[in-house]
Amino acid sequence: MHLPSLKEDCSRCAALCCLAYPFEAEEDFAILKRADSPCPNLDQGFRCTIHADLASKGFGGCKAYSCAGAGQRVTQILFEGETWQEDPDLLYHMTYALRVVQPIHEALLILQEIRALDLPPDLHQHCVALIRSLCPDNPRSVRDFEEEQVQDALAELHDFVETIAPFAMNLA
């Protein structure tokens, strides 16, 4: 079973997080920004012009954010390195793909932690089965992540976490 990289690599992404998600002008974001629109602090090279000062400039939400590797997977794998700046028609497709893939990557992070626990064999096997279900073979389109098997495994994560909670609590 091959897991994708679950650590963000902004150098391999097209700043999708700076586009896809809205900002609410409150404690975590200094401005109001609509979903699917570029942050005004984003430069032409997909870099944040205030990255070193995010917290002091009122962008604590950006500082705390991690795409869990979904951004570079969408940019490099699903869109083969193409970007929304080169082809503006890709913007909505790329941000949509990020919103589909990111929860899957977050689930894989959780399941990796669970797999490391000392679980009974049946729960360990169930964990591995969920990981496999969340990792479609050779995905080339967002549709591969929207398949029923993937989405059912994602939906099952909450109940599975509740099932293994007593085993995790014994570690504390």
Side-chain angles (χ1 to χ4, degrees), residues 2-109:
H2 175 71
L3 283 174
S5 173
L6 299 175
K7 177 154 178 38
E8 70 275 358
D9 181 352
C10 300
S11 71
R12 300 189 68 229
C13 182
L16 299 181
C17 62
C18 301
L19 270 70
Y21 301 108
F23 297 166
E24 295 290 329
E26 54 183 47
E27 66 185 54
D28 289 332
F29 296 102
I31 61 171
L32 177 66
K33 183 188 90 60
R34 291 184 345 263
D36 299 325
S37 65
C39 175
N41 298 311
L42 189 62
D43 71 17
Q44 289 297 309
F46 305 114
R47 300 291 165 253
C48 177
T49 60
I50 64 166
H51 192 268
D53 302 312
L54 284 172
S56 66
K57 300 267 186 182
F59 289 86
C62 295
K63 189 168 179 66
Y65 176 81
S66 170
C67 72
Q72 71 258 18
R73 190 174 197 187
V74 167
T75 302
Q76 298 302 319
I77 304 298
L78 301 186
F79 288 88
E80 300 175 339
E82 291 186 66
T83 70
W84 56 271
Q85 282 183 342
E86 295 165 343
D87 183 351
D89 290 338
L90 294 179
L91 188 143
Y92 295 107
H93 301 287
M94 293 182 87
T95 57
Y96 175 79
L98 179 69
R99 289 189 292 265
V100 170
V101 175
Q102 183 177 349
I104 293 166
H105 275 226
E106 290 171 345
L108 287 168
L109 278 173

